[in-house]
Every structure is written in structure tokens, then in C-alpha cells.
Amino acid sequence: MPDVDYEINAHKYWNNFYKIHENGFFKDRHWLFTEFPELAPSQNQNHLKDWFLENKRSEVPECRNNEDGPSLIMEEQHKCSSKSLEHKTETPPVEENVTQKISDLEICADEFPGSSATYRILEVGCGVGNTVFPILQTNNDPGLFVYCCDFSSTAIELVQTNPEYDPSRCFAFVHDLCDEEKSYPVPKGSLDIIILIFVLSAIVPDKMQKAINRLSRLLKPGGMMLLRDYGRYDMAQLRFKKGQCLSGNFYVRGDGTRVYFFTQEELDMLFTTAGLEKVQNLVDRRLQVNRGKQLTMYRVWIQCKYCKPLLSSTN
């Protein structure tokens, strides 16, 4: 199995995928507003900061209709730990304050897309915009600006030529999540939300940590990273044939695109190592029935929310 080929030519395989399917493969993810209310119009920076002011933790068992979008068996809304509250009350060293002020000046001096926005969302691995366009259609907050990027230039071209694409509210660009040399078009500490929907699983496992580290640095204190991805022993994993496994729990599909299947613990390690704190980390198990094909499919997905502490001791 030419493993190196799948890495070197990954852009080619994804471009071919979008050339074949264009915008007809994925449905718009309107369920996002149920699972990630941070994306809804009523959400703003004050709401995110409120998470830190609550010191209670709650677990709410909940069953949902599974006809449209995900059905979560259990939802745990773990507020950011009291550790971040302690950080909030500490007085940073004078040197750190000065550094922060210089950093703020640099950010203000730089003109970048959405620089005047008050609420910034970035989706990594946006595909043809099935997440971005529902956000723009639903959230009419004048201070909102949405960035979206994808590894595939074909996908970004489809986003930019979509009638819903509005350059005054959105900026789409080609970006390789694993490219350590190429920077994002926004300053560090400037984003409120980063969205990762079935994208982290598409990259080589040993490059995941550095990718999350780079994204974490883009978040404002109090900002949130939202993820939904494939869980271990999902139906898709069990259906792979012998010879399609590139390494432990990492597979190649027939079209050359790749996919990894996570455990909750693996994702928790990735996010906490990047300096983020757990708000939510749950498994969504769902039984899907395709009556037409008489197929029963057992899906396993993982949903995570991790926040950046209000004051971080690390750069």
C-alpha cells in the first residue's frame, strides 16, 4: 500500500472528490445550532464569558429525534474548571501586561479580513460551505465575520461562487491544516469560535497535535473550539476491508481520502495539551435505518467543546 502517495497527493484526492460530488454530497448542517448554540444569533462574547462565571457542573441525560441531524444519548455540559477562575483573579506580571499591550497594538495595526468584526468564527475543513452558509443565513449579527478554509482548492472555488457567498461577511481561503509554515490570515488571539466538523480525522495522526496547537493560539481567551468527528468502531470503520488500514485506526477509502476513528481520551489529550479546558466531550451513538436499502447502520460520533482559559500562563 503506497502510504506516502496518499499523503503527498492528498490535495489531488480531495479535489477529485469535490469535482465529482460538487455541492450535492453533504446536506446543510442546520443541526449545528442545536448541538453548538454558540453559533446561533443570540450568542456573543458575553455569553462565552458567562460560562466561566458558573461554577456548577451538570449532566443532563437527553434523548432527541434522530431523523434530522445527530441524536445525542447524553449531553454533558461541563463548565470550564475553577482553575480558570483562579487565573482570572491573579495579577499577571508587569512584563506580561506590557507584552500583551504590544501584541494588541500589532493586531490593531494589521488590516485583515474581518478586522472590524466583534465576533469571529473560523471553520477549518469547510468543504463546499454546508456549515458556513447556514451560519450566515441564520446569524444576522452585524458584528459577525466568518472565515472558512479547506485543503481543496476545488471546494473553496465552489464556496466562493455560491450565490450566498458575501465577501463583506465571509472570507474563504485554501489552507493545509498540517502546513507549519503557512499562517492563517488572522492574528493570534482574534477568534471567538473555531469549528472542526469531520476534518481532523482526515489528517495523519502524528500531525494532529501540532495542528490543534496552532489553532488554539488563534482563539481569544474565553474562545471555544467545537469538534464533531468519527468515533472508534463507527460503522464506517467496521466496513473497511483488509488492506485499507494504513495504521492503527487510520484507513484509506476507495477514492484515496483517509479517515481516523477517535476515542474520547485521544481527543481530550489533543485539546488539553494545546492548553484548552474541557466543556464537553461525549459519544453520540445512533442507529440509522435505510428502509429503501434495508440497511441498519450503527454510527458512533464524538462531539467536543473545549475553551481557552480567560488568562493563560502559556503563550
Side-chain angles (χ1 to χ4, degrees):
M1 184 70 64
D3 298 3
V4 177
D5 171 69
Y6 296 122
E7 178 68 9
I8 294 173
N9 295 310
H11 65 285
K12 181 183 77 175
Y13 292 118
W14 279 108
N15 279 337
N16 287 341
F17 173 88
Y18 287 112
K19 282 175 184 173
I20 293 167
H21 299 289
E22 293 192 343
N23 56 3
F25 188 81
F26 300 107
K27 294 180 181 178
D28 285 351
R29 295 162 174 157
H30 292 284
W31 54 264
L32 280 170
F33 304 110
T34 302
E35 306 308 335
F36 298 133
E38 296 80 6
L39 305 176
S42 61
Q43 303 303 320
N44 51 42
Q45 294 172 0
N46 291 332
H47 169 83
L48 288 176
K49 290 175 182 177
D50 287 345
W51 288 62
F52 295 90
L53 301 179
E54 298 181 24
N55 54 17
K56 290 193 299 181
R57 295 187 173 204
S58 62
E59 282 194 7
V60 184
E62 185 173 344
C63 293
R64 294 184 181 159
N65 189 322
N66 63 3
E67 291 177 3
D68 297 311
S71 65
L72 300 185
I73 304 305
M74 183 189 77
E75 180 175 313
E76 52 175 284
Q77 296 286 358
H78 284 174
K79 311 306 177 192
C80 291
S81 73
S82 57
K83 184 177 172 184
S84 62
L85 289 174
E86 292 169 10
H87 287 158
K88 187 176 179 181
T89 58
E90 291 174 1
T91 304
V94 174
E95 184 181 344
E96 185 179 83
N97 275 334
V98 173
T99 304
Q100 183 61 43
K101 286 177 182 176
I102 293 172
S103 159
D104 288 343
L105 287 172
E106 288 172 355
I107 289 174
C108 292
D110 288 340
E111 282 298 321
F112 60 96
S115 57
S116 62
T118 55
Y119 198 73
R120 303 188 189 97
I121 295 173
L122 164 67
E123 186 192 9
V124 180
C126 64
V128 296
N130 301 97
T131 295
V132 169
F133 292 125
I135 291 173
L136 292 172
Q137 291 161 4
T138 305
N139 195 333
N140 57 5
D141 179 356
L144 172 72
F145 197 89
V146 180
Y147 307 87
C148 59
C149 63
D150 199 277
F151 189 45
S152 166
S153 57
T154 303
I156 292 302
E157 187 178 343
L158 287 166
V159 170
Q160 292 173 337
T161 55
N162 189 306
E164 298 288 334
Y165 184 71
D166 181 355
S168 69
R169 303 184 68 215
C170 183
F171 180 67
F173 58 100
V174 178
H175 189 87
D176 181 355
L177 184 58
C178 300
D179 189 342
E180 297 182 37
E181 302 301 320
K182 189 176 179 182
S183 60
Y184 289 88
V186 294
K188 293 178 181 178
S190 63
L191 298 177
D192 295 277
I193 298 287
I194 295 175
I195 310 168
L196 297 157
I197 305 292
F198 299 108
V199 62
L200 193 61
S201 55
I203 70 174
V204 179
D206 61 12
K207 293 185 177 182
M208 290 178 183
Q209 186 64 66
K210 286 185 177 180
I212 294 296
N213 291 349
R214 288 191 294 276
L215 287 171
S216 176
R217 290 193 279 271
L218 298 179
L219 283 174
K220 294 177 181 178
M224 196 89 71
M225 205 172 293
L226 312 177
L227 173 140
R228 190 169 180 83
D229 221 318
Y230 298 102
R232 190 70 48 85
Y233 308 125
D234 175 64
M235 171 209 71
Q237 181 178 13
L238 301 179
R239 288 174 62 180
F240 277 111
K241 296 181 173 70
K242 186 178 179 180
Q244 289 184 278
C245 186
L246 300 175
S247 60
N249 302 295
F250 190 48
Y251 299 80
V252 61
R253 301 183 180 97
D255 60 6
T257 61
R258 297 166 298 173
V259 60
Y260 185 82
F261 297 87
F262 293 98
T263 64
Q264 289 173 279
E265 292 73 23
E266 286 171 338
L267 286 166
D268 186 69
M269 180 63 70
L270 286 170
F271 288 123
T272 55
T273 300
L276 304 178
E277 295 186 352
K278 182 171 74 173
V279 177
Q280 181 187 76
N281 184 327
L282 59 85
V283 177
D284 172 7
R285 292 183 177 87
R286 178 159 43 135
L287 175 64
Q288 288 182 329
V289 179
N290 185 323
R291 293 183 177 84
K293 296 182 180 179
Q294 294 185 325
L295 288 176
T296 300
M297 300 171 286
Y298 295 91
R299 305 313 307 261
V300 181
W301 296 325
I302 298 179
Q303 182 167 302
C304 294
K305 300 180 184 183
Y306 280 75
C307 61
K308 192 168 191 175
L310 285 177
L311 281 179
S312 175
S313 58
T314 58
N315 291 328

